[in-house]
Amino acid sequence: MSDPYGTFVRTGPGRFLAARTGLPQPPRLRRYVAGEEWAADPALVVGLSGAAWTGQVTSWLREGGTAVEPGEGRLSALVADATGLRTVDQLDELLTLAPAFRRTRGRVLVLAAVPGDLDGPQARAVQHGLEGFVRSLAKEARGGTTVNLLRVRDGAGTALRSAVEFFCSARSAFVDGQPLVVGAGVPVAARERRVAVVTGAARGIGAATAQVLARSGHHVVCVDTAGAGEALAAVANRVHGSTLHLDVTADDAPRTLAAHLADRFGGADAVVHNAGITRDRSFVNLDEAAWRSVLAVNLAAPIRLTEGLLQHEGALAPGARFVCLSSVNGLAGAKGQTNYATSKAGLVGLVQALAEPLAQRGFAINAVAPGFVETPMTAAIPPVQREVARRANSLLQGGLPIDVAEAVGWLAQPDAAGIDGQVLRVCGQNLVGA
Ligand SMILES: NC(=O)c1ccc[n+]([C@@H]2O[C@H](COP(=O)([O-])OP(=O)(O)OC[C@H]3O[C@@H](n4cnc5c(N)ncnc54)[C@H](O)[C@@H]3O)[C@@H](O)[C@H]2O)c1
C-alpha cells in the first residue's frame, strides 16, 4: 500500500530528478484532519451573468469559518456561479476567472444549471459546455487543486449548502473534474442515535468508511466474513461500533441483516454496499467460478440485501440512504476485468433503477466510483501495471481509502438529500476514459 516513487519524488533529489527528466510530480494532497484548519487563505465567490446563488454561498462559507474576500494573495477556494449563463457570448465571462484561478490552491467549484431543465438549444448547449470547461480546468490545475461542477436544480437550498461545504473542503481531496446534480431533496431530521451498516468493513475502503461514519455520529455495524474476524473486531473497536459476521452472498444474508438492524437498532439510517472482490483474468481465460463469484459478491448481494432491507419492516430508519461502491473500471471498462466491470456497471444500473421507487418511500441511493485507491485489492496488481494505474489521473497519485470514505460519508448524511440516483467518481480525474 506504499507509493515509493511518490515518497521519493517529494525529497530534494527526487524533485530535482523529476524536474530534469519530466517525470510526474504528484502534489501532496491536503486531507481533512480533525481540529486542523484547512482553509487559512480566503475564498472568493464570483457571480457571472444571471447568478442566483452568490449571496447564499458566501454566507454558507462564512458561517463555516471561511473568510470570503477578493484579497490579493492565495485563495483556498474559488466558487463561480455560472447558473445564469444562457448565450455563447456570455461564455466569454469565464475568461474573467483566470486571474483568480491562478491564485487558487485548493478548490475550484463551478455552479451550473441542469441543461435539461432549460428551454432553447443555445441555453442548453452553453450550460453543457461548462462540463468541458470544468474537466479541462481540472487537468490544468496545479498543486493538488481540484475543479468540480455542481448542476443546481431550483429549490436545492439545503442540499446545495451541504455540497458546497463538501466540495470546498479537505474532505473532497481526491474528487476532481466531476459533475454532480444537486436537486431539491428534503433532509429528514437526524435521529439522535444514527446507525450505519458497512459491508466489507474489515479493511480498506470499508474500514475507512466506518471511521468517517463514526466521526459523524453513527453507530457503525461492521459487516464482514467470519474469516475477517480479528480485523473486523479491531475496526469495530476503533469506531466504537459493533460487528456482524456475514457472508453477503449467503442465502439467508438479507434476512439476517434486516432482522439484526430492526431488532437491535430500530433500523439503519445509512447502508453502504462496500464488500467487493476481484478475480482478474482475460475474458478467454475466465472460468465460471471467477465469473460467478465476482457477480455474486459485487452485484447480486447488494441487490438482494437492498430488497431484503426494503421488505423487512423496521430494517430501515426514515430517510435511510444507500451508497454502493461501484468503480471507474466499471464505467470505463478494464482489460482483464470483464467480470468486475460487469458487476460495477451493474451497480450503476441498480442505483438508477431504484432511485425513484426508493424516493417515493423517502429513501435515497447513490454510487461512488473510486479510481485507483491504495488498498490490499490494488496491492495485488502486478508492479508495473500498478504504477501506471496509480499515476493515470490529474493528481498523479492513487487515492487513499479515506478519500473514498469521505465521499461515501457525505452521501450518507441527511443533508445530502438532494443527491439521488447519481454516481460520484472519487478518482483524481482518472484518465482511463468512459
Ligand atoms: N481499491 C480500489 O482501488 C477500488 C477501486 C474501485 C472500486 N473499489 C471497490 O471498493 C470496495 C472496497 O474495496 P477495497 O479496495 O477496500 O477492497 P478490500 O479487498 O481491501 O476489502 C474488501 C472487503 O470486503 C470483504 N468481503 C469480500 N467478500 C465478502 C463477502 N462475501 N461477504 C462479506 N464481506 C466480504 C473482504 O473480507 C474485505 O474485508 C469494493 O467494492 C471494490 O470493488 C475499490
Side-chain angles (χ1 to χ4, degrees), residues 53 57 60 111 150 152 156-165 182-183 415:
W53 294 99
V57 170
W60 291 334
L111 306 185
L150 293 181
V152 191
T158 314
L160 179 60
R161 177 181 188 152
S162 151
V164 167
E165 285 170 356
V182 185
D415 285 359

Side-chain angles (χ1 to χ4, degrees), residues 200 202-206 224-225 228 246-249 274-277 297 325-327 340 344 370-373 375-378:
R203 63 183 205 186
I205 293 168
D224 213 300
T225 56
L246 186 74
D247 178 342
V248 293
T249 65
N274 166 79
I277 59 168
V297 177
L325 269 291
S326 179
S327 164
Y340 184 75
K344 294 299 182 180
F372 183 98
V373 180
T375 69
M377 185 182 267
T378 48

Side-chain angles (χ1 to χ4, degrees), residues 77-384:
L78 167 63
V79 182
D81 183 347
T83 51
L85 299 187
R86 296 289 180 271
T87 68
V88 175
D89 286 346
Q90 286 174 336
L91 282 175
D92 288 355
E93 294 180 32
L94 293 173
L95 293 174
T96 63
L97 300 175
F101 174 65
R102 191 176 293 127
R103 291 196 283 133
T104 305
R105 286 287 177 277
R107 304 282 173 262
V108 177
L109 188 59
V110 176
L111 306 185
V114 179
D117 291 354
L118 302 178
D119 290 328
Q122 182 169 194
R124 284 189 181 202
V126 162
Q127 283 294 325
H128 213 91
L130 292 173
E131 196 165 315
F133 175 72
V134 161
R135 289 189 193 276
S136 301
L137 210 55
K139 290 183 177 177
E140 292 186 17
R142 308 230 316 258
T145 297
T146 61
V147 187
N148 291 289
L149 180 76
L150 293 181
R151 297 197 179 286
V152 191
R153 287 223 140 93
D154 284 348
T158 314
L160 179 60
R161 177 181 188 152
S162 151
V164 167
E165 285 170 356
F166 175 74
F167 280 96
C168 287
S169 77
R171 291 178 292 145
S172 59
F174 203 60
V175 184
D176 197 13
Q178 299 309 308
L180 196 69
V181 175
V182 185
V186 182
V188 169
R191 291 196 297 171
E192 204 169 302
R193 190 189 184 213
R194 285 173 58 74
V195 174
V197 54
V198 180
T199 66
R203 63 183 205 186
I205 293 168
T209 300
Q211 182 191 326
V212 168
L213 288 168
R215 192 182 76 199
S216 61
H218 292 81
H219 172 92
V220 186
V221 180
C222 302
V223 174
D224 213 300
T225 56
E230 275 182 28
L232 188 66
V235 172
N237 283 341
R238 209 161 49 235
V239 305
H240 306 293
S242 54
T243 59
L244 176 64
H245 289 140
L246 186 74
D247 178 342
V248 293
T249 65
D251 283 348
D252 60 352
R255 201 196 50 78
T256 305
L257 181 63
H260 186 80
L261 293 171
D263 300 347
R264 301 230 190 148
F265 299 102
D269 301 87
V271 179
V272 182
H273 291 304
N274 166 79
I277 59 168
T278 49
R279 295 287 181 271
D280 296 358
R281 245 151 268 180
S282 64
F283 182 55
V284 290
N285 292 325
L286 257 183
D287 54 35
E288 258 182 38
W291 177 263
R292 287 206 180 138
S293 57
V294 167
L295 284 160
V297 177
N298 298 4
L299 184 57
I303 294 173
R304 290 178 60 239
L305 290 180
T306 305
E307 275 172 7
L309 295 176
L310 287 168
Q311 281 162 11
H312 191 111
E313 194 163 339
L316 296 170
R321 298 181 61 83
F322 290 84
V323 184
C324 299
L325 269 291
S326 179
S327 164
V328 163
N329 285 5
L331 310 180
K335 202 169 158 186
Q337 290 201 315
T338 47
N339 50 355
Y340 184 75
T342 304
S343 71
K344 294 299 182 180
L347 285 178
V348 175
L350 180 70
V351 164
Q352 288 170 352
L354 284 180
E356 211 178 300
L358 258 67
Q360 282 169 11
R361 295 177 59 179
F363 305 134
I365 184 165
N366 291 285
V368 165
F372 183 98
V373 180
E374 308 281 357
T375 69
M377 185 182 267
T378 48
I381 300 172
V384 174

